[in-house]
């Protein structure tokens, strides 16, 4: 019952994120350092998922997402349930880094356990210390590797 309520809140959050980032994606110039750091954060979170290291994976989320989920164990439970391709990808390929209304958006092409292609759209947020954290992720059927 608690998981169902958590899942409902998460999908509401995703819907709100989707609406707030619904603007067109634009090519934007990002520094090589930012590009490397953003990809590093996403990969590090995936590595934490692979180890079932909930606290580490949770640590790559923004404070707003951490507040929404409340605990690393709830976060990991939801990712396992609703984000299986991110939790246990068959393959990972980093695509374009774009901007949606000023928010950096990293495209990540994944395959799930059955080999189906999935596009993970990661919304990133720069922190006060200059580092990056994941502000949200949306999964779509992968339209192809050119996105």
């Amino acid at each position: 019952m608690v998981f169902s309520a958590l899942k409902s809140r998460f999908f509401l959050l995703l819907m709100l994120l989707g609406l707030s980032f619904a603007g067109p994606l634009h090519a934007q110039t990002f520094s090589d350092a930012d590009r490397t750091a953003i990809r590093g954060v996403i990969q590090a979170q995936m590595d934490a998922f692979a180890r079932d290291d909930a606290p580490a994976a949770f640590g790559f989320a923004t404070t707003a997402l951490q507040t929404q989920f409340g605990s690393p164990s709830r976060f990991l439970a939801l990712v396992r349930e609703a984000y299986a391709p991110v939790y246990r990808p068959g393959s990972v390929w980093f695509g374009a880094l774009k901007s949606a209304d000023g928010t950096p958006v990293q495209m990540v092409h994944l395959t799930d356990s059955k080999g189906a292609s999935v596009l993970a759209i990661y919304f990133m947020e720069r922190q006060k210390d200059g580092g990056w954290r994941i502000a949200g992720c949306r999964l779509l059927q992968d339209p192809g590797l050119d996105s």
Side-chain angles (χ1 to χ4, degrees), residues 84-85 88-91 110-116 118:
R88 292 288 193 266
S91 65
L110 309 167
T111 56
D112 66 14
S113 63
K114 297 176 184 173
V118 177

Side-chain angles (χ1 to χ4, degrees), residues 20-62:
S20 65
F21 294 116
L25 296 178
H26 301 287
Q28 179 177 331
T29 304
F30 293 97
S31 72
D32 287 340
D34 284 338
R35 189 176 310 280
T36 299
I38 287 169
R39 290 179 180 186
V41 166
I42 294 167
Q43 185 62 59
Q45 187 181 59
M46 287 183 177
D47 293 345
F49 290 145
R51 298 186 310 271
D52 284 323
D53 186 345
F58 194 62
F60 294 108
T62 59

Side-chain angles (χ1 to χ4, degrees), residues 93 95-96 109-110 117 142-147:
W93 183 81
H109 304 271
L110 309 167
S117 296
D142 195 341
L145 296 178
D146 60 340
S147 43

Side-chain angles (χ1 to χ4, degrees), residues 71-139:
S71 75
S73 61
R74 286 184 185 162
F75 176 70
L76 187 60
L78 184 88
V79 171
R80 271 190 203 124
E81 176 72 22
Y83 283 78
V86 171
Y87 176 65
R88 292 288 193 266
S91 65
V92 178
W93 183 81
F94 285 87
L97 177 60
K98 299 182 180 184
S99 176
D101 296 328
T103 299
V105 178
Q106 176 66 59
M107 305 300 175
V108 182
H109 304 271
L110 309 167
T111 56
D112 66 14
S113 63
K114 297 176 184 173
S117 296
V118 177
L119 177 62
I121 303 170
Y122 280 87
F123 301 96
M124 303 302 294
E125 182 181 290
R126 186 183 297 277
Q127 303 301 292
K128 290 180 183 178
D129 67 1
W132 292 94
R133 287 201 184 174
I134 299 167
C137 179
R138 188 171 183 194
L139 297 181

